[in-house]
Amino acid sequence: MYSKKEYLRHGILFIVTLIATTLAGGEWLFGKSILGKDDGFLTWEYFLKSLHFSIPFIGILFIHEMGHLLTSIKHRVKSSLPYFIPAWLGFLGVPSLGTFGAIIRMKGFINSRKKFFDIGVAGPIAGFVIAFAVLVYGFTHLPEADYIYEIHPEYLDPDFEGHTAEEGYVTLEMGYNLLFYGMEKILADPERMPNMSEIIHYPYIFAGYLALFFTALNLLPIGQLDGGHVIFGLFPRTHKNISLAFYTAFLFYAGLGIINPYHEFSSLIIALPLYIGFLFICFQKAGLPLQMRWAIVLVLATVQYLLAFYFPTIEGYSGWLFFGFLMGRVMGIVHPEVSGLKELDRKRKIIGWIAILIFILCFTPQPFMTG
């Protein structure tokens, strides 16, 4: 089915991505890099230790993509092998995860609601099952509480008051989602459980958390994302409206606090038109008439401004704006149609609602907060 050249190309990308995520793991877990000096150098010993992060992380992504691939093969829809995208940015001095994820390309035409649904839902559910298992292992095999002092011996200094830019630390605090919070409370030993700014040093918990994050992203009920395929199957007549409404709500939350009447007037005069222009660009591929696009954008920005007026400290998560831009301009928020409005069978509807539940459990409103 696939040529030797394809297996070689995709295999090389997989291996390079595994190496890149291992290098990134060394930076997050132990503060060591192949570009570091003296005690900050990533030795072979620490490279092998970092595989405890990269193997489960890449393994979850691999299972996710294989869910898509095997289902497409089952439905005789031609598709590519998984493309893993390496992205280690340590040479720039920028923290990274070592990858931008993985994708498969559908090469065949799909004119079936059932096929769209099956291929779309298979990936996130398969990946979620493995991510759940990784988190169970991580929470039930936490190291002793003094493990963190091996990573940060400075914590033992009674005069230590926190990380500073001069010390070269990157502080990354994870936000809770419902599943992670529940698993922590049920499975983890409270004496050993790190706070959310330290889980980057715990490979299985960190890998599992990232897997939940990517699972939720894929299950957003928008356009041609996996969640968009689910909505397309469950709601054949209203999926467009659901996708548009959720995309609008997503941008609304992401942009809360961007335009604030309590900012300096000069900066507000500059920020307001730029922000409105950004929103308009995001909705350009929404399949709406020009007047409707302007109406949505202006109403959205006005409500955000009014909320900031009455609640000056209100804030969304601006990190979502970039992903919102990618959905609006690259991935699209309109799902391709198929002939007919035939509903899914009962079994698939149950699976679809399970996927929606997984999204609710995994979605993190503020996933990454730096300081």
Side-chain angles (χ1 to χ4, degrees), residues 4 19 26 139 157 177 185 298 339:
K4 291 182 179 179
I19 293 172
F139 281 123
D157 184 350
N177 56 61
K185 297 304 178 186
L298 293 176
S339 58

Side-chain angles (χ1 to χ4, degrees), residues 104-336:
I104 64 170
R105 290 175 52 216
M106 293 291 109
K107 298 180 179 180
F109 176 69
I110 305 176
N111 189 31
S112 165
R113 195 173 304 277
K114 180 178 72 173
K115 290 181 180 180
F116 264 126
F117 176 86
D118 288 356
I119 295 171
V121 81
I125 287 183
F128 173 78
V129 171
I130 306 303
F132 186 85
V134 168
L135 281 173
V136 169
Y137 180 85
F139 281 123
T140 56
H141 290 76
L142 290 170
E144 296 295 332
D146 59 1
Y147 162 76
I148 195 62
Y149 299 129
E150 299 177 19
I151 309 297
H152 288 293
E154 68 277 5
Y155 288 178
L156 294 170
D157 184 350
D159 298 323
F160 181 73
E161 297 180 354
H163 300 321
T164 66
E166 288 76 15
E167 290 170 328
Y169 290 103
V170 175
T171 303
L172 184 68
E173 182 172 354
M174 309 298 183
Y176 277 110
N177 56 61
L178 292 175
L179 181 64
F180 192 92
Y181 180 81
M183 293 184 74
E184 175 189 322
K185 297 304 178 186
I186 296 171
L187 299 176
D189 180 349
E191 297 296 324
R192 299 185 181 190
M193 183 63 199
N195 63 47
M196 295 302 283
S197 63
E198 300 292 357
I199 66 172
I200 58 174
H201 304 305
Y202 294 72
Y204 295 100
I205 295 179
F206 189 32
Y209 180 91
L210 293 175
L212 298 187
F213 168 75
F214 284 113
T215 296
L217 280 189
N218 279 288
L219 282 175
L220 284 167
I222 299 172
Q224 298 187 57
L225 295 173
D226 295 339
H229 295 322
V230 171
I231 296 301
F232 180 72
L234 287 177
F235 307 102
R237 299 179 186 276
T238 58
H239 67 90
K240 287 184 179 179
N241 293 333
I242 294 172
S243 178
L244 178 61
F246 202 93
Y247 181 69
T248 303
F250 184 82
L251 286 179
F252 178 80
Y253 170 71
L256 276 175
I258 296 292
I259 50 173
N260 191 308
Y262 298 101
H263 291 164
E264 289 186 11
F265 182 74
S266 58
S267 62
L268 184 62
I269 288 296
I270 297 173
L272 185 58
L274 289 177
Y275 179 63
I276 290 176
F278 168 82
L279 292 177
F280 182 78
I281 292 172
C282 287
F283 281 96
Q284 270 193 313
K285 290 188 176 182
L288 297 171
L290 180 62
Q291 290 180 330
M292 180 64 74
R293 292 203 303 270
W294 274 118
I296 291 175
V297 167
L298 293 176
V299 168
L300 190 152
T302 300
V303 175
Q304 287 176 329
Y305 184 88
L306 290 174
L307 281 174
F309 179 80
Y310 289 106
F311 306 97
T313 59
I314 195 169
E315 207 172 76
Y317 184 69
S318 59
W320 290 127
L321 289 174
F322 177 67
F323 192 69
F325 175 81
L326 289 180
M327 284 192 290
R329 292 296 300 165
V330 180
M331 293 176 275
I333 61 175
V334 178
H335 196 286

Side-chain angles (χ1 to χ4, degrees), residues 17 55 78 90 99 272 290:
T17 303
I55 289 178
K78 189 175 181 183
T99 180
L272 185 58
L290 180 62

Side-chain angles (χ1 to χ4, degrees), residues 59-79:
I60 294 167
L61 295 182
F62 176 77
I63 294 299
H64 178 116
E65 296 305 324
M66 289 304 295
H68 290 315
L69 178 61
L70 294 177
T71 308
S72 67
I73 292 173
K74 175 184 175 182
H75 284 302
R76 302 181 185 276
V77 175
K78 189 175 181 183
S79 62

Side-chain angles (χ1 to χ4, degrees), residues 348-362:
R348 285 184 169 84
K349 287 182 178 180
I350 292 173
I351 293 173
W353 282 106
I354 290 173
I356 292 174
L357 176 61
I358 290 173
F359 167 74
I360 293 171
L361 292 174
C362 293

